[in-house]
Every structure is written in structure tokens, then in C-alpha cells.
Amino acid sequence: MRTLTLRSLAVLTAALAIELTQLPGAHAAPAPTVHTVKPGQSIQAAVKAARPGDTIQLRAGVYRENVQITKDRLTLRGVGRTTVLTAPAKASANACGRAGHGVCVTGTAQRRVKNVHIRSLTVTGFPKNGIWGSRTVRMDVRNTLAEKNGQQGIGQQLSTRGVFVRNVSRNNKESGIFLANTVDAEGGATDAKGTWVAENRLTGNRIGVVVRRLRNLTVEQNTVTGNCGGVFVVGDESKPRAGNLTVAHNAVQGNNSYCAPNARLPFIQGAGIVLTGAETTRVTGNQVHDNVGTSPMSGGIVLFKSVVGIANSKNAISRNVLTGNKPADVADRDNGPGNTFTGNVCTLSVPTGRC
């Protein structure tokens, strides 16, 4: 009797499984698709056709368009620097084209775009930013070249958990990598929730890396050279203050180009790592050499009051090696409260005692 009962139960279970597979929506999600795009074809059309999880694979060649991404979990991938995205003669009829950027990853206040990956291509010659994220979570840009763009090479605002690793960003008119709370409104620093900038090469820009009004991120193991300024952490009087972040183990050398002043800053030249209006930032283990200039922000590691006169406070400058920076290897130009200088190897500090 027990054997018969078990057999009946097995038959019933199998029949139920067959019926469930016939119900609408019961099938497994489709496997991710690779959408291959060749020069002359539309990247935007492939993005439109893609579903979350898909990859848009670009072959080698030149593509002239502005690419707008508003879907989660897409990957835009080239085959290296021979995959080139550049500005079209007439901007694409999308929000990215109207803004003048190359690749835009854009969410809304109600729905952020998550887990978009950009890999192995060149983005060059756009009037504004090469790659730009707004209202994103975990936008991940790697092994990409951003060059000769009119503002930022790579950047994001209103975003969290970004990853920017092993890119080259060079000869952009503003920053190589630019991260901000928001670019078009005042406000306190926001939590970047572990955004990570690592192993990039940043050269020939106005400033290599700018972190503006953000907290909780890391800038580490980047090579920053040949810019007007190396790494800037920028805050002001807003609350929360910018800070609670780490700048560690970067090579910041020879950032001696001249950049003219603007409405907010004096001219920039020979500025290595600059903190302005920041708090509780850890600057540690960096190699800072041969940053030479006559700007108020010139020198190896410089603490400088913000544009509204807010001093840096409670920052820890430790275990950095500094040589050949002028007018000083370490310059504490605002004497804000609670800043500490320990274990640094350098020749000249202003005031004395900071080495």
C-alpha cells in the first residue's frame, strides 16, 4: 500500500510540474544576448534592442554618435583603443547628444540606473564629457581611454558605488576623472558609498582627479602626471562637509602645466594633492614629486582654504614621500584645526614641522 501511495504521489508531482511550465511567465528568463555592432551601424539601436543583462559588443572602427543608456545591467564593450566613439557632425537626437557628452548613463530621482559596465574603448572629441553618469549605482568603467573632450574625461554626479579602474584619461580640458555630489546645485556632501578610483593614468588635463562635495570613497594607486593639478578634494561651508575619504598610494608627479584662473579658483600650476575645505580625509602612502609652480595652491601636499574661506579640519597626512616640490613639499596654508602630519618623508614644509 505504501509503495502504491508513493508512486501515485510521484505521478501527481510530475503532472503538476508539466502544468506549471505551461503557465504564462513560468519559463526561465532568456539568456543574455550579445548585440554585435560594426562601424556604420547604430550603437543606440543596439542599446534600444537590448534587455538588462545583455552586452553591446563593438567591433574595431570609428563610431560617430552620442550614446544614451537608461537600462540596468548593460555592458558596452569595445575591443580596445581601436574601437573609437567620437562626436558626430550633428549631435544625436537624444539627451546625451543635447548635452554634448559621449556616453551617458542616466537614471531619474525615482529610479537609478544600476550596474552598467563600460569596457575597452576610446571616447574622444566630445564638446562636454566623454563618459558621464547621473543618478547611477555601480557604474563601472574600466580599460577605457577618454581623451580630448571639452570638459571631463570620465565622471559622475548624484551617483553611488562607482568603479573607475585602469583607465587612461588625458588631454581633457577639465578633469581626467570628476566625481561630485551634483554639478548644478549647491548642497552638502553626499555619501558615495564606497566609490573606487584606482590604477588609472591621468595626464594632460586641468586636474587629474577631482572629488567635490563627497564622502566615503577611495582614490588609490593612480598615476597622475603632466596636469596643472594632480588630485583635488574640494569642499565648502555646506553640511555635511566633504571628506571622510582616502587618497592613498598614488604617484603624483610633475603636474606643472599652467591653467588660467576662473571665477572660483586662482590659476593652477604645480599642485600635487590639494585639500580645500575638507575634513577627516586620509592622505597616506603617496609618492609626490617635482610639482613646481607659483600658484597659491602650488606644492606637494597643500591644505588651502575653500573659495568661501572654510579651513580644512581633522585631516590625517601620513607616511607620504615627497621630493622636489616647490615652494614646499608640504604646505599647510590655512592652519585649520585638528590636522595631523605624521611619518612623512620630505625636505621642506610650510610652516616647519610638517615633515
Side-chain angles (χ1 to χ4, degrees):
M1 185 67 178
R2 182 172 181 273
T3 302
L4 180 60
T5 301
L6 290 175
R7 287 177 180 172
S8 299
L9 183 59
V11 171
L12 180 61
T13 301
L16 181 60
I18 291 170
E19 289 181 9
L20 287 174
T21 61
Q22 294 173 347
L23 291 175
H27 295 288
T33 299
V34 176
H35 305 261
T36 300
V37 183
K38 301 176 182 179
Q41 297 178 332
S42 169
I43 302 171
Q44 193 65 55
V47 171
K48 183 177 180 180
R51 296 181 178 183
D54 286 358
T55 294
I56 294 92
Q57 178 65 60
L58 309 180
R59 296 285 180 83
V62 178
Y63 300 81
R64 299 183 183 277
E65 61 181 297
N66 311 83
V67 179
Q68 179 75 59
I69 298 174
T70 58
K71 299 177 183 178
D72 294 343
R73 295 171 37 233
L74 292 189
T75 296
L76 179 64
R77 184 188 301 275
V79 295
R81 293 189 181 181
T82 56
T83 301
V84 180
L85 179 65
T86 192
K90 181 180 179 181
S92 302
N94 56 34
C96 199
R98 291 192 296 273
H101 307 319
V103 179
C104 299
V105 182
T106 311
T108 67
Q110 294 72 36
R111 180 189 168 279
R112 296 194 173 201
V113 175
K114 300 177 181 178
N115 299 306
V116 170
H117 295 177
I118 299 170
R119 299 282 191 273
S120 302
L121 68 154
T122 294
V123 183
T124 182
F126 288 92
K128 296 293 183 64
N129 305 331
I131 297 172
W132 184 242
S134 183
R135 301 188 187 277
T136 68
V137 179
R138 298 187 186 89
M139 185 174 83
D140 188 321
V141 183
R142 303 187 191 220
N143 301 313
T144 290
L145 169 62
E147 67 175 354
K148 300 178 182 177
N149 296 292
Q151 290 185 351
Q152 326 300 343
I154 303 169
Q156 67 177 23
Q157 65 158 349
L158 297 165
S159 297
T160 61
R161 306 184 197 277
V163 175
F164 306 90
V165 175
R166 292 189 295 276
N167 302 290
V168 175
S169 191
R170 66 191 183 196
N171 301 326
N172 301 287
K173 289 188 178 180
E174 292 296 334
S175 306
I177 294 178
F178 177 86
L179 309 173
N181 59 348
T182 179
V183 297
D184 56 6
E186 297 295 326
T190 55
D191 187 348
K193 296 186 178 180
T195 290
W196 186 36
V197 180
E199 299 180 43
N200 302 284
R201 184 171 182 84
L202 309 162
T203 184
N205 309 287
R206 179 180 176 86
I207 302 173
V209 180
V210 173
V211 177
R212 194 176 83 182
R213 298 180 190 152
L214 289 174
R215 299 177 69 83
N216 188 14
L217 59 84
T218 299
V219 178
E220 65 179 353
Q221 298 184 41
N222 301 281
T223 299
V224 190
T225 184
N227 309 282
C228 301
V231 178
F232 275 42
V233 178
V234 181
D236 57 21
E237 77 280 14
S238 301
K239 298 291 181 66
R241 295 273 302 277
N244 188 30
L245 54 89
T246 299
V247 179
H249 307 296
N250 301 282
V252 183
Q253 180 173 353
N255 294 285
N256 298 331
S257 298
Y258 173 89
C259 289
N262 60 29
R264 294 183 63 86
L265 292 174
F267 79 91
I268 302 172
Q269 182 187 42
I273 298 173
V274 177
L275 308 185
T276 174
E279 68 176 13
T280 59
T281 293
R282 299 163 293 279
V283 181
T284 184
N286 299 282
Q287 298 283 329
V288 186
H289 306 296
D290 302 320
N291 299 284
V292 177
T294 57
S295 165
M297 292 180 287
S298 297
I301 296 176
V302 180
L303 277 62
F304 190 77
K305 286 183 180 180
S306 74
V307 293
V308 293
I310 301 300
N312 295 281
S313 63
K314 301 179 182 177
N315 301 288
I317 316 302
S318 66
R319 299 190 301 279
N320 302 282
V321 177
L322 307 100
T323 61
N325 303 285
K326 294 180 181 179
D329 289 319
V330 176
D332 183 4
R333 296 200 174 112
D334 65 8
N335 293 300
N339 299 303
T340 61
F341 301 81
T342 58
N344 300 294
V345 177
C346 62
T347 301
L348 176 65
S349 72
V350 178
T352 59
R354 299 295 193 260
C355 288

